[in-house]
Structures are given as C-alpha cells and as structure tokens.
Amino acid sequence: MGIFIFDPLTGEPTILATDRAKRHDQTGAVSSITGGQKPACFFCKGSEHLTPQALYQDEDNWNVRAFPNKFPLMPDHEVIVHSPDHTKDMEDFNHEQNVRIIRAYLNRVSFFGSQDKEVIIFNNKGGKAGASIVHPHSQVVAAKGFPGILEKEKGSALHYHNEKNSCYWCDEWREAVASKDRVIHESSHFVVFSPKACRWSYEVVLVPKNHKPNFGFIDEMEINDLAKVLPGALKAYKDSFDNPDRNYWIHTMRYEPYHWHIGFIPHLKVFGALELGAGIWVSDKATPEDSGKKLSAAFPVI
Ligand SMILES: [Zn+2]
Ligand SMILES: [Zn+2]
Ligand SMILES: [Zn+2]
C-alpha cells in the first residue's frame, strides 16, 4: 500500500508504493526495473479466479467487470476491465458496450460518494502512459481528498467563483465554442476542446455543458451522449497519431464549486528536464488552435 509523501518546499505530492514492483508487466513499462516475465492475462474472461472478487459487473456473464486492484496505491484502488476482449477498446466497441463502461464508472463514483470519498477514474494505455497490463481497463482511486491538481483546481474554482460569480468551466467551454478553432467536437451535452493553456501538444478536455460538480450526477441522456463522445475523442487520437499511448482521467468533486470534466493526453514525447526539473510543461508540436483543427478533422461522425 502506498503512502503520500510531500516535498517540504514545493508541496508536490508523491505516492510511495514500492510493493507495486511485484505487479505483472505486459507492456514493458516496469520490466526494465523488475525483469518480469510476461504472464497470461488475468483480465480476460475465464481468469476471474485469478482476480479479487468483483465489486461491480453488468451481468453474471459479464461485459464489464470491476474488482479491487491486487497492488493498490491506496486502500481504495480498483480496476474496471473494459470488456472481455484482450485487444479492443472504447474506440472499437459498439455503443452498447461503451454505455456499460460509463455505467460502471457511474456505479463506482456513486459508491465512493456514499462513503464521503472523492474519486479519480483514470485510464493508461500503453507502456509510455504507465500501463503495465495490455488488456484495456480503467482504474479507480478514492480517498477523503486528493492533494495536487484536484486540490489546486478546487481552490482556484472557489476563487474564480468569488471574483466573477461564475463557474470557471462553464465560462471555459463557452469561450472555446466562441473561439471555434479550439473546438474539436460539440454535441448536445458536451464540448471537447483544446484548452487555451494546454500543457502538452494535443492535450484535450471534455466538459459537460450542464453544470454539475459531480460525475455521479450525470443523467441518462448524458450517459448516452458520453458513450459516443468519449470514444470519439480516443478515436481522433488513434487516427491522428497512429494509435498512440495515451491517458485520460475524470476530474470530479462531490461539492461545489466544481464542474466535472475529462482530461486527455497522447504520449507523443516523454518528460524532459523542464517538466521534471522546473515543473514547466513544453508544448512544442502544435498550438491549441492547430491541435483543435487537426483533432476536429479526425473526430469521427458519431
Ligand atoms: Zn486479457
Ligand atoms: Zn460550471
Ligand atoms: Zn481538471
């Protein structure tokens, strides 16, 4: 189990979790450290006995399955296997399967919300993005609160609200739509756009038009729409960059002032010294406007 340690000068949080060096490694993300062999996949159907007992699955003969992470970073750390298929992911699934995944996300966010905990759902695809298991899956961590970006966003959102009597993200998506160039896709319930201060080239944010702090508050129409728009954003990456390693994460909070959203980054480069040594991100492949144009052209018809 990991513990948080903090840099005394910068406050930067780190999870110290050396137990995880024992975990299986199918992508090579950690094999250079452990020298690990590539074992059979225990996320595939038929390997359920190799995982902890399910905490959520859509039906007995499951299409989506969630269970505790065998190598947890913190007491509440779960895995959501996207489907029984070892290679296919959201970009490839039919709509029904993507709805099942969104419902699994919703179930876990609601469950931890009922325990007065905040939740981060995240997805790592590929070794460069930090995935150690090839089989497409998301992860869920929950705690009373999270240091780092979520805490900063919450603090800044409160400040913004006090200054402008408005929500930062409500203003952001409207500004992106007005800018036109940064918009990648606009649906009835969501806007996918290139943020004006994108940290790495082709960073993307997906913001719901309806102001809700908590992902757990999404309604049926939003579930249906998100199950098209989220895979659409992933497909735009896949087709633009030859199936890149990538991450996405759901930022959600139980209480105002906040506005849940999803962030995405494709791994077209690795961290350099400015990112690591100075905390300064370098976006050197595209402006936010160029990124918006390229990804909107690649966004599938949904
Ligand atoms: Zn598998
Ligand atoms: Zn808002
Ligand atoms: Zn955020």
Side-chain angles (χ1 to χ4, degrees):
M1 197 76 67
I3 52 162
F4 274 108
I5 51 178
F6 296 89
D7 184 291
L9 295 179
T10 65
E12 286 279 303
T14 294
I15 297 182
L16 187 65
T18 50
D19 269 6
R20 282 168 62 83
K22 298 190 199 103
R23 70 193 161 140
H24 296 288
D25 176 23
Q26 296 176 337
T27 65
V30 294
S31 65
S32 57
I33 302 162
T34 63
Q37 296 294 306
K38 294 191 175 179
C41 177
F42 48 87
F43 288 4
C44 276
K45 197 164 254 188
S47 299
E48 294 82 358
H49 61 289
L50 299 174
T51 71
Q53 211 171 19
L55 297 163
Y56 172 88
Q57 55 187 54
D58 62 309
E59 57 182 54
D60 286 344
N61 184 20
W62 63 273
N63 300 288
V64 177
R65 184 168 183 266
F67 47 85
N69 193 313
K70 267 189 164 177
F71 301 96
L73 287 169
M74 51 185 69
D76 293 307
H77 185 179
E78 302 177 354
V79 171
I80 299 175
V81 177
H82 286 186
S83 87
D85 195 299
H86 186 73
T87 52
K88 289 203 177 106
D89 204 351
M90 294 184 96
E91 305 93 310
D92 318 301
F93 294 149
N94 63 23
H95 180 62
E96 196 182 5
Q97 182 63 20
N98 285 326
V99 168
R100 291 184 185 117
I101 295 169
I102 304 298
R103 287 197 190 288
Y105 289 171
L106 179 58
N107 178 281
R108 302 325 292 154
V109 169
S110 301
F111 171 76
F112 286 115
S114 74
Q115 296 198 330
D116 298 329
K117 288 176 181 164
E118 303 294 355
V119 180
I120 306 174
I121 292 182
F122 60 98
N123 172 276
N124 304 329
K125 173 181 167 284
K128 277 194 271 180
S132 58
I133 302 287
V134 171
H135 195 129
H137 64 285
S138 295
Q139 298 181 63
V140 184
V141 288
K144 292 290 177 189
F146 289 100
I149 288 177
L150 278 168
E151 188 176 54
K152 282 184 193 161
E153 281 190 356
K154 179 99 180 171
S156 299
L158 178 61
H159 187 72
Y160 190 94
H161 182 81
N162 289 341
E163 292 274 305
K164 307 203 176 198
N165 198 26
S166 177
C167 163
Y168 170 78
W169 291 275
C170 283
D171 290 353
E172 271 297 288
W173 77 254
R174 287 195 172 88
E175 191 185 323
V177 168
S179 82
K180 292 195 180 73
D181 280 351
R182 289 191 289 115
V183 174
I184 294 161
H185 183 79
E186 182 179 359
S187 71
S188 41
H189 296 92
F190 299 97
V191 182
V192 181
F193 60 95
S194 175
K196 58 180 184 278
C198 72
R199 295 171 296 176
W200 269 9
S201 300
Y202 305 107
E203 177 172 18
V204 164
V205 65
L206 181 162
V207 178
K209 291 178 175 174
N210 288 332
H211 175 88
K212 294 174 182 175
N214 188 340
F215 177 82
F217 298 162
I218 61 173
D219 63 28
E220 287 300 313
M221 289 190 297
E222 287 170 316
I223 291 171
N224 188 52
D225 199 11
L226 186 60
K228 295 176 187 167
V229 176
L230 171 53
L234 301 177
K235 184 88 164 65
Y237 273 171
K238 186 176 185 177
D239 291 350
S240 296
F241 307 116
D242 194 19
N243 199 17
D245 292 359
R246 45 113 175 113
N247 303 107
Y248 66 84
W249 52 85
I250 301 179
H251 276 176
T252 174
M253 287 274 175
R254 286 176 302 141
Y255 301 116
E256 301 280 8
Y258 204 71
H259 184 138
W260 77 268
H261 54 280
I262 305 180
F264 305 74
I265 275 188
H267 285 260
L268 307 178
K269 53 181 264 182
V270 295
F271 276 124
L274 269 179
E275 282 96 348
L276 292 168
I280 297 172
W281 293 69
V282 179
S283 175
D284 55 2
K285 297 189 189 307
T287 63
E289 290 74 19
D290 291 341
S291 169
K293 274 183 225 154
K294 184 176 173 84
L295 293 171
S296 66
F299 203 95
V301 177
I302 54 175

